[in-house]
Amino acid sequence: MTEHDAAAPRPAGVSRRRLLGLAGAGTAGVLAAGAAGGLIGRVTAEDASALAPAAPAGPASADAVEFTGPIQAGIVTPAQERLHFVAFDVLTDSRDDLAGMLRTWTAAARRLTAGRGAGPVGAADGAPAAVPDDTGETLGLPASGLTLTIGFGPTLFTTADGRDPFGLASRRPPPLVELPAFDGDEIDPAISGGDLCIQACANDPQVAVHAVRNLIRLGQGVVRVRWTQLGFGRTSSTTTGQETPRNLFGFKDGTNNLKAEAAEALDRFVWVAPGDGVDWMVGGTYLVTRRIRMLLEAFDETPLGEQEAVIGRAKGSGAPLGRRAEFDPVDLTAQADGRPAIPETSHVFLSHPNTAGTAILRRGYSFVDGTDGEGRLDAGLFFIAFQRDPATGFVQVQRKLRTDAMNEYIRHTSSAVFACPPGVQGDDDWWGRTLFEG
Amino acid sequence: MTEHDAAAPRPAGVSRRRLLGLAGAGTAGVLAAGAAGGLIGRVTAEDASALAPAAPAGPASADAVEFTGPIQAGIVTPAQERLHFVAFDVLTDSRDDLAGMLRTWTAAARRLTAGRGAGPVGAADGAPAAVPDDTGETLGLPASGLTLTIGFGPTLFTTADGRDPFGLASRRPPPLVELPAFDGDEIDPAISGGDLCIQACANDPQVAVHAVRNLIRLGQGVVRVRWTQLGFGRTSSTTTGQETPRNLFGFKDGTNNLKAEAAEALDRFVWVAPGDGVDWMVGGTYLVTRRIRMLLEAFDETPLGEQEAVIGRAKGSGAPLGRRAEFDPVDLTAQADGRPAIPETSHVFLSHPNTAGTAILRRGYSFVDGTDGEGRLDAGLFFIAFQRDPATGFVQVQRKLRTDAMNEYIRHTSSAVFACPPGVQGDDDWWGRTLFEG
């Protein structure tokens, strides 16, 4: 860790020192012994216990989250309340222009995540004849936990028409391939894919929107927006303290997600390690996004018992069916009235690490995007997953979900995959340096 | 005031007792002397001073806002952080079905605004074989300042094809007419108009979305969603305490808005009074919505001095041009360097009550609705205005804005007008009773 790190705001909810301490010193040690083979195999009981809950430790809602570090913020950072996700198409064939923009973006991201403007002068302090270097809508607002996380899509390495304008084709990570089609997909290409992405998360939507909008502005001529998604997630307070947020089906969602504190499981399932064969991605991870429309009207007409059988948990407590409390261990073998307590077609059964044989770090946000033109809300979950390899992460889980009873009530409408490089370290580092210069 | 009121949560930020106390006792006294003529004429210096700021007094973010009272909540209630607005088309020709749904909605709204579920049983406490009477995503969440405000569109009284299915045509308030077309309008009919609307505001988007979604569910077969709009507004905290929020141009927006404390100005400009000739609307108001897309990219490329000349205020402080602080009085006659300090084409100049000869109560929310398909954000301001008569309110102001320099940077893309009846009073009252039974 550098002096700069010591003086900077503490990472939210997870001591990055501790996280890396558990895994060894620096990125060279990110790979824990448990996953040394590089292949993700059968999940052990110990792994399952690593998925157990830890005390929630979210940041104060206004605080800054440190931007620099060996891993990017916004991955294991406890989920902020709001999301603005944006995917870009690159307009230029110039490697220098692209790298230049990434340097500019990095400088802006350092400032924005610290609660400052996108440029050194600011929105209101420049000369009257000059165009301001920030758009101003966060003047007076705190950093609000803003994180900015970058990803590179497969088409950045080889364009859709097979060209290699940036000389990056040979550096494409083998795991970074377009996702396969799945049963029931209703993917709209216009809101899928992208050469680059930025995930902006903050506890204030104005702060997340401001960051994305200023990065768009700074990228003018080099990139253009392909698609964006707004979302809302963790709610700031509950009557009973910090709780697992509920999705738009009304069920707690994320109870057994990988936790930032579970360093071994993260090293096994999330972070790219030296043995994985892509040096510039060590300390990085792969990001899968799926816009999952939820057919709320159909689910709302379903009896409570059937809803719970679809999910595999009690609606009120969030307890696994057959158990009493939300964080009671999921026992897939438990019986009730001579049948499995947790039905074998339930979402909890099929997505459980012991069934799927793998685990992913999820970071979903609910969305409502107006209506579908048929008098129904176009609403659902913008699903975000981080994993060490999409093939053994999201793709493996999603194939297992082929018989998921929930499929009747959801439609996947957009899809994308990105390689998220390691974090920016030190004052001269920039987003993509390990890719372009490594 | 009834015993029920005394026991209920206090209205947010404005003592309804005090508000009505200033104007007399009960709705019969809502009309203050200053507007006794019923016509809104020249604005006096006293009126202008009524537009001066009052100390902000927002509710704690989790608290409940009282649903019942002589006026509807959500109009002078200090703006909550999030908006979910929904407009409906009526599917039925049955007056009984329509009135029955409004009774059902009212019962649900009483519960939802108190932080409870939409139905008496709740999302998770019913029989397994029964469909839950709430969808559940706010289980454990507080009321979060939720207000639900209803409005009736012109087409509820006479359908677009000239029919009168509900026997309401003779009860249509004369001020409730479709808005005229304005220069530069780019109105999309698919996201305009509506027979009914609900404005849901809360400090948690999940709470606002939950309320709208459950009202949609309870209206099934009687209404269907025509369009919806999500928005975000007042941010929960600033580094310098409560402040006027900034719009997506980065300027403070709402400095000189009518204040909940300015009872005389509200009575003159917002509330329908007995002398206005529509008895069932006394204590009500008219709601105009305009979805105003802001051409962010164009504005962002404009020099700071030109931005400030377009708005009429300093970007940093929010002070009127030529003055030093945000709340310094706007002096439209002030000169600077031999020219008007506040340009005559600026938004502040043209929309000022002394120029427009009227005033409206604004309640706008910013929105970002993805992209426009051309690589730009589809973002802007969902403008909401309440007024005693749209002709002497929004229409009069908007005509004055014909020469507004801001027009270069904005496009109105949706438009609607609704009559918001008075508040629900007592346990047997319901939304629309004064219209259907009055």
Side-chain angles (χ1 to χ4, degrees), chain A residues 142-158:
Chain A
S144 305
L146 176 68
T147 55
L148 296 168
T149 311
I150 198 166
F152 305 129
T155 48
L156 188 72
F157 299 85
T158 307

Side-chain angles (χ1 to χ4, degrees), chain A residues 4 35 59 103 174 205 242 278 312 319 392 417 429:
Chain A
H4 179 79
R103 284 191 176 90
Q242 281 274 3
V278 186
T392 52
V417 60
D429 201 3

Side-chain angles (χ1 to χ4, degrees), chain B residues 67-196:
Chain B
F67 173 67
T68 58
I71 58 174
Q72 288 197 73
I75 299 170
V76 294
T77 307
Q80 299 94 321
E81 297 174 36
R82 313 289 171 245
L83 166 79
H84 194 186
F85 194 97
V86 56
F88 296 94
D89 289 330
V90 176
L91 299 172
T92 184
D93 277 357
S94 159
R95 179 178 167 118
D96 287 349
D97 287 354
L98 178 59
M101 181 197 71
L102 290 169
R103 282 191 177 89
T104 302
W105 272 5
T106 308
R110 288 176 195 266
R111 284 187 289 261
L112 291 165
T113 53
R116 302 199 298 272
V121 177
D125 297 326
V131 173
D133 63 12
D134 181 84
T135 57
E137 66 268 30
T138 55
L139 281 171
L141 295 183
S144 306
L146 176 68
T147 56
L148 295 167
T149 311
I150 198 165
F152 304 130
T155 48
L156 188 73
F157 298 86
T158 307
T159 62
D161 56 354
R163 296 182 310 112
D164 178 19
F166 310 117
L168 296 176
S170 64
R171 315 226 349 119
R172 185 180 61 75
L176 185 68
V177 292
E178 304 291 352
L179 298 182
F182 299 97
D183 285 355
D185 272 2
E186 294 183 5
I187 304 298
D188 178 356
I191 53 169
S192 297
D195 299 331
L196 291 162

Side-chain angles (χ1 to χ4, degrees), chain A residues 333-388:
Chain A
T333 66
Q335 298 277 311
D337 303 328
R339 290 179 306 179
I342 300 175
E344 294 178 354
T345 56
S346 70
H347 190 71
V348 161
F349 186 96
L350 292 169
S351 63
H352 190 274
N354 287 356
T355 311
T358 189
I360 50 182
L361 176 67
R362 285 174 292 133
R363 194 183 176 85
Y365 285 86
S366 293
F367 69 84
V368 178
D369 288 346
T371 63
D372 68 353
E374 311 275 341
R376 292 181 294 258
L377 291 182
D378 182 7
L381 179 74
F382 188 71
F383 174 93
I384 295 173
F386 294 99
Q387 57 259 293
R388 190 169 160 190

Side-chain angles (χ1 to χ4, degrees), chain B residues 94-366:
Chain B
S94 159
R95 179 178 167 118
D96 287 349
D97 287 354
L98 178 59
M101 181 197 71
L102 290 169
R103 282 191 177 89
T104 302
W105 272 5
T106 308
R110 288 176 195 266
R111 284 187 289 261
L112 291 165
T113 53
R116 302 199 298 272
V121 177
D125 297 326
V131 173
D133 63 12
D134 181 84
T135 57
E137 66 268 30
T138 55
L139 281 171
L141 295 183
S144 306
L146 176 68
T147 56
L148 295 167
T149 311
I150 198 165
F152 304 130
T155 48
L156 188 73
F157 298 86
T158 307
T159 62
D161 56 354
R163 296 182 310 112
D164 178 19
F166 310 117
L168 296 176
S170 64
R171 315 226 349 119
R172 185 180 61 75
L176 185 68
V177 292
E178 304 291 352
L179 298 182
F182 299 97
D183 285 355
D185 272 2
E186 294 183 5
I187 304 298
D188 178 356
I191 53 169
S192 297
D195 299 331
L196 291 162
C197 77
I198 303 274
Q199 172 197 273
C201 296
N203 293 315
D204 182 329
Q206 182 116 330
V207 170
V209 164
H210 170 261
V212 166
R213 179 237 191 130
N214 278 274
L215 295 176
I216 292 172
R217 189 174 57 81
L218 292 170
Q220 231 171 0
V222 182
V223 293
R224 62 174 243 167
V225 177
R226 180 174 174 85
W227 55 272
T228 74
Q229 181 68 54
L230 255 71
F232 55 94
R234 182 174 71 77
T235 44
S236 49
S237 59
T238 64
T239 49
T240 51
Q242 282 274 1
E243 285 189 356
T244 308
R246 291 177 183 273
N247 62 28
L248 293 183
F249 286 156
F251 280 79
K252 294 191 179 183
D253 196 340
T255 301
N256 262 359
N257 199 3
L258 287 169
K259 294 293 186 296
E261 290 78 6
E264 268 190 73
L266 293 175
D267 286 342
R268 180 163 180 195
F269 295 117
V270 176
W271 303 118
V272 175
D276 292 355
V278 186
D279 287 351
W280 72 265
M281 275 291 287
V282 172
T285 183
Y286 298 93
L287 165 58
V288 168
T289 67
R290 305 279 287 188
R291 183 181 182 278
I292 304 175
R293 180 165 175 212
M294 294 161 72
L295 306 179
L296 302 182
E297 293 78 4
F299 197 79
D300 290 350
E301 291 303 306
T302 304
L304 178 60
E306 201 174 321
Q307 290 187 5
E308 294 182 331
V310 165
I311 304 295
R313 290 186 178 274
K315 191 160 193 174
S317 64
L321 292 183
R323 304 301 296 262
R324 301 183 65 162
E326 179 186 358
F327 292 108
D328 285 347
V330 172
D331 180 358
L332 301 180
T333 65
Q335 298 278 309
D337 301 329
R339 290 179 307 178
I342 300 175
E344 293 179 355
T345 56
S346 71
H347 191 69
V348 161
F349 186 97
L350 292 168
S351 63
H352 190 275
N354 287 356
T355 310
T358 189
I360 50 183
L361 176 67
R362 285 174 292 132
R363 193 181 176 86
Y365 285 86
S366 294

